[in-house]
Every structure is written in C-alpha cells, then in structure tokens.
Amino acid sequence: MKNSVRPVIPPKTIYRMSVYLRCLQRLRSNGIQTVSSEALAGAAGVKPTQLRKDLTHFGQFGTRGLGYDVAQLSKMISDLLGTNRLQPVVLIGVGHLGTALLSYRGFEEEGFEIVAAFDVDVDRHRDKAKKTPVFGMDRLGRVIRESGVRMAILTVPASAAQEVANALVEQGIAGILNFSPAMLSVPDHVMVKNVNLAIELENLSYFLQQ
Amino acid sequence: MKNSVRPVIPPKTIYRMSVYLRCLQRLRSNGIQTVSSEALAGAAGVKPTQLRKDLTHFGQFGTRGLGYDVAQLSKMISDLLGTNRLQPVVLIGVGHLGTALLSYRGFEEEGFEIVAAFDVDVDRHRDKAKKTPVFGMDRLGRVIRESGVRMAILTVPASAAQEVANALVEQGIAGILNFSPAMLSVPDHVMVKNVNLAIELENLSYFLQQ
DNA sequence: AAATGTGAAGTTGTTCACAGCT
DNA sequence: AGCTGTGAACAACTTCACATTT
C-alpha cells in the first residue's frame, strides 16, 4: 500500500521547467503578459503538448482559449524550483575552472551565491581582489555547518574528487555539482549532477562523424 | 524504402560510451587487462546488463566466461567516438568562462585542441602568455575555413549567442557546445549541446527540497 | 563455472487526438 | 474559435531471464 506522496516528477520535466522559466523571464522583460503553449514551447525548443504535459504535473495554470499568464507561471516555477530565495553554495577546488566559476556572474543572477571557496592551497589564484573568501580544506566542516549550505560545486582534480566528496557528505552536503571527470560514489540521499566537458565534446564529435 | 544506414544509436548509449572509455583508461593505467561487465558497469555507475546492451549496438567484444579485454575495448570506443585523433575546436567569447576553458588542461588530455579563440575585444584577458591565439570576430570565417574546424565552444553572453551561432553555421561549423543561457536555433544538420550551469544548480536545488 | 549476448517483458517518457473551457 | 488539459496510443529506453559460449 502506497501512502500519499507528492507525485514523483520526471527529472527531465524538472530540467525543462528551468528552461521554461528562462523563456518566461525573457518574455516578461519584453513586456509580454500572456503566452500560448505553442509560443512558449517554441521558445524552449519543445513540442506544445510536452509543455502542457509537463505543467500538469504541478496543477492547472492556463486559461483555455487564451494561454498562460507569464508572471503567474514564472512565479509558480520559481517557487517550485526554490529559486525565489537566494541559495548559498560552496565551491571546492580553486583551479582554473573553479576560479572562472567564482567570477561568473551567471549564478547570482539565477539565485545562487557562492558563499565560500576551499582549496588545499589557500593562496591559490588570489590575484584579483575577489569577495568570495577562500579557505583551507580544514575549515570545510565548520563553514558548511555554520552557513547551512546544502549544495557544493566540485572543481577539484579527478584524483581528489572522491575524497572531497566523502568529506562533503560527512558535513551534511546533500547535492554536488561535479565538474571532475571522476564518478563519485555517495549515499542514496545525496544527489550528484555530473558536468563533464570532455564527454560533451566527445558526444558532439561522434554525431558529426557520419 | 530504407537504404542501408548504420544503425541509429541511442544518444544515451553514446554518452555512456564516453563514460566507459574513461573507466577503461583508468583500469588500463592500473595495469588491469581484463574486466567483467559487472566490474566495469560498477565503475561507470550503471547496471551490467545496460553495459552489455550498449556494446551490442557496435558488435561483440567480450569473451564468455572471461569478460572484456581492456585495451581492445578502449580502442573500439575511441575509434567509435573519433577520439583517437586530435580534434581541432574553436572557442568564441574570451570572458571569464572562456578564459577558464582556454587554460583547462582537460580538453587536450581527452583529444581536443582549441586552435583559436575569438572575441569582439582582441586584447581581452591576454594577461598571461597563453599559446592559443585570440582573434577578432572578423577573422572567424577565414580561420575556420583554413583550419577545417567543425566544432565550436560558445562562451559569449546570451545577448550575442544567436548572432554568433549564425556566423558559425555560415562558416561551416557543424557542432556547437553552447555555454550561454540562450536557446539557439540552427539548421537541422547542425548539432547543439547546451551546458547551462545555472540550470544544473536549479535542478539540484529542486531535488534537495523535498 | 563464469560471464557474455539477446529476445521478451517492463518501465518511462513523448505524442496524438480530442473533450472541455472561456 | 481558440487553446488548454488529459486519457490513450506510441516510442524509447531499461531490465529480466536465460540460452550460449569459453
């Protein structure tokens, strides 16, 4: 017997909700108030029925004969994704990629704030006067606990990735955005998203070969 | 009537082939010569049957009762993905992220070489003596044609993304790794892979909420 | 005995077709 | 008339179960 759970949403639907949100934000900044599933789906690169099906997982938001209210739908999605409030994140590994992500404006615009960075070498890449503090790995646990951070961006070399992941999990991190080429093994309650740039290029490469 | 085509391989299979290849490379550098589907699948984070099914798309490579030859399987996959030869790539947009990717060692290790970078401002971020030349956008067509590049990494702001994509397509680029938050519209024969860091974080954020 | 290769079954995700509002 | 919401059909992908090979 199942007890009442909030219905399980397909991960792909969640991904597309983020895409829809960006399209809606652009529509809104262009002063558009109402949008049809056809127009919004077009902007997001999906079929209209897919968009409507995705939305039904969360309720009914449209007006038949008219379409969707841009502002209302934006609000629904950002509530859903938790983007309405600023979310703290930590970053581990202040190498090339880590440094780039620290200077990347995109995160803040989308509701994420990198509150602290960590590296084995505290003085690494500190050339520019950056506001994000860089700590040694020994302070990891303390900072995470005190700031209540739940997500980490992992930009350490593959050789260090699993070890750092273990430390993160131990300190209560529940989500890891993993840029290292290593496959992490973590407990079930921890979620890992892998972003592997070399694999993405390899994939492109395959499909171009034909 | 269909004329004989090479069988269409599921995109997800191709993605996993890249993952398998990395696992095999690690096994090989550890001196391991033979691996079972169970062990390799474990390292790649998939089920053994999935691995075996993936491989059957390309042929039979294992020995029953024994497993797979690590070197042979590595070779098969890198031939397949086109990673056996060095692939030239161009990068457009030498901002924070673009600069980071230019300094990122990972690509070369995986068989990709960024042969040239482009930006509206040629002198941007040229502080360190980097070997990759940075050109103005006016040289885009010429460099692409002369170097025979087929893939581009796009790290320009969203506002410029579509315009640059159009130029790339016009110059014969067939694959784009798009880091900008913009959804690109391109002809059917051009393949776009989106890597949107904010969306990945948003996704994590949703699944942590429960 | 051990492990692969694969048809069949199962599961998940997408699209269709149309009923139902406004 | 126009456009959403949704059950049903369809397609894609994953897992199972087991025959097959070394």
Side-chain angles (χ1 to χ4, degrees):
Chain A
M1 195 201 296
K2 271 188 193 167
N3 50 14
S4 83
V5 284
R6 96 150 126 162
V8 176
I9 313 292
K12 289 185 164 187
T13 292
I14 296 300
Y15 186 90
R16 287 189 298 262
M17 296 307 280
S18 273
V19 177
Y20 302 151
L21 180 56
R22 295 213 162 34
C23 297
L24 287 164
Q25 284 163 344
R26 203 169 60 229
L27 289 173
R28 187 142 67 151
S29 71
N30 290 347
I32 293 164
Q33 292 179 355
T34 301
V35 68
S36 69
S37 64
E38 187 172 356
L40 181 54
V46 303
K47 298 244 160 78
T49 47
Q50 174 111 77
L51 164 61
R52 298 204 297 272
K53 189 66 113 184
D54 282 338
L55 294 180
T56 58
H57 285 110
F58 307 101
Q60 302 188 175
F61 306 95
T63 309
R64 297 177 192 214
L66 198 67
Y68 300 91
D69 181 278
V70 172
Q72 183 201 324
L73 195 56
S74 293
K75 172 151 191 339
M76 183 286 275
I77 300 179
S78 63
D79 285 353
L80 173 84
L81 296 173
T83 335
N84 41 6
R85 54 193 180 286
L86 198 67
Q87 300 227 35
V89 195
V90 291
L91 182 145
I92 330 289
V94 192
H96 288 305
L97 195 56
T99 307
L101 296 184
L102 284 179
S103 2
Y104 183 51
R105 307 264 86 220
F107 288 134
E108 274 170 49
E109 285 162 21
E110 309 287 359
F112 298 96
E113 187 194 4
I114 302 178
V115 294
F118 299 87
D119 200 292
V120 283
D121 178 359
V122 183
D123 293 329
R124 226 179 150 188
H125 289 266
R126 296 259 50 203
D127 13 52
K128 293 156 193 167
K130 280 290 149 44
K131 46 183 191 294
T132 310
V134 178
F135 299 118
M137 297 301 291
D138 51 308
R139 310 246 331 244
L140 191 65
R142 190 167 164 184
V143 174
I144 288 177
R145 267 177 278 114
E146 285 177 0
S147 58
V149 174
R150 305 195 60 213
M151 289 190 286
I153 299 174
L154 195 58
T155 45
V156 301
S159 54
Q162 183 63 57
E163 188 190 352
V164 173
N166 294 345
L168 289 170
V169 169
E170 200 172 327
Q171 300 306 332
I173 288 290
I176 299 175
L177 189 57
N178 175 34
F179 284 83
S180 89
M183 286 306 239
L184 305 178
S185 67
V186 295
D188 283 348
H189 67 273
V190 177
M191 177 142 194
V192 176
K193 274 234 161 203
N194 294 302
V195 178
N196 192 318
L197 305 181
I199 289 188
E200 300 299 331
L201 266 186
E202 265 181 25
N203 262 261
L204 260 189
S205 159
Y206 171 81
F207 288 104
L208 301 191
Q209 270 179 356
Q210 322 305 337
Chain B
M1 192 200 296
K2 271 189 193 166
N3 50 13
S4 84
V5 285
R6 89 153 130 165
V8 176
I9 314 292
K12 289 185 166 185
T13 292
I14 296 299
Y15 186 90
R16 286 189 299 262
M17 295 307 280
S18 272
V19 176
Y20 303 150
L21 180 56
R22 281 184 182 53
C23 297
L24 287 164
Q25 284 163 343
R26 203 169 58 230
L27 289 173
R28 187 142 67 150
S29 71
N30 291 345
I32 293 165
Q33 292 180 353
T34 301
V35 68
S36 69
S37 64
E38 185 171 357
L40 182 53
V46 304
K47 298 245 160 79
T49 47
Q50 173 110 78
L51 164 61
R52 297 204 298 271
K53 189 68 112 183
D54 282 339
L55 294 180
T56 59
H57 285 109
F58 307 102
Q60 303 190 173
F61 307 96
T63 308
R64 298 179 191 215
L66 198 69
Y68 300 90
D69 181 279
V70 171
Q72 184 201 325
L73 196 55
S74 294
K75 173 152 192 337
M76 183 284 277
I77 299 180
S78 64
D79 284 352
L80 174 84
L81 296 173
T83 336
N84 40 6
R85 55 194 179 285
L86 199 66
Q87 300 225 38
V89 195
V90 292
L91 182 145
I92 331 288
V94 191
H96 287 307
L97 195 55
T99 306
L101 296 185
L102 283 179
S103 359
Y104 183 52
R105 307 265 85 220
F107 288 133
E108 274 171 51
E109 285 163 20
E110 309 287 0
F112 299 96
E113 187 195 5
I114 303 178
V115 294
F118 300 87
D119 200 292
V120 282
D121 179 359
V122 182
D123 293 328
R124 226 177 149 190
H125 288 267
R126 296 257 52 201
D127 12 53
K128 293 156 193 167
K130 281 289 149 47
K131 46 183 188 297
T132 311
V134 178
F135 299 118
M137 296 301 290
D138 50 307
R139 311 248 325 247
L140 191 64
R142 189 165 164 188
V143 174
I144 288 178
R145 267 177 279 115
E146 286 177 359
S147 58
V149 173
R150 304 194 61 213
M151 291 190 284
I153 300 174
L154 195 58
T155 45
V156 300
S159 53
Q162 183 63 57
E163 188 190 352
V164 173
N166 294 346
L168 289 169
V169 170
E170 199 172 326
Q171 300 307 332
I173 287 289
I176 300 175
L177 188 58
N178 175 34
F179 284 84
S180 89
M183 285 307 239
L184 304 179
S185 68
V186 295
D188 283 348
H189 66 274
V190 177
M191 177 145 195
V192 176
K193 274 234 159 202
N194 294 302
V195 177
N196 192 318
L197 305 181
I199 288 189
E200 299 300 332
L201 267 185
E202 266 181 25
N203 262 261
L204 260 189
S205 158
Y206 171 82
F207 287 106
L208 300 191
Q209 271 178 356
Q210 323 304 335

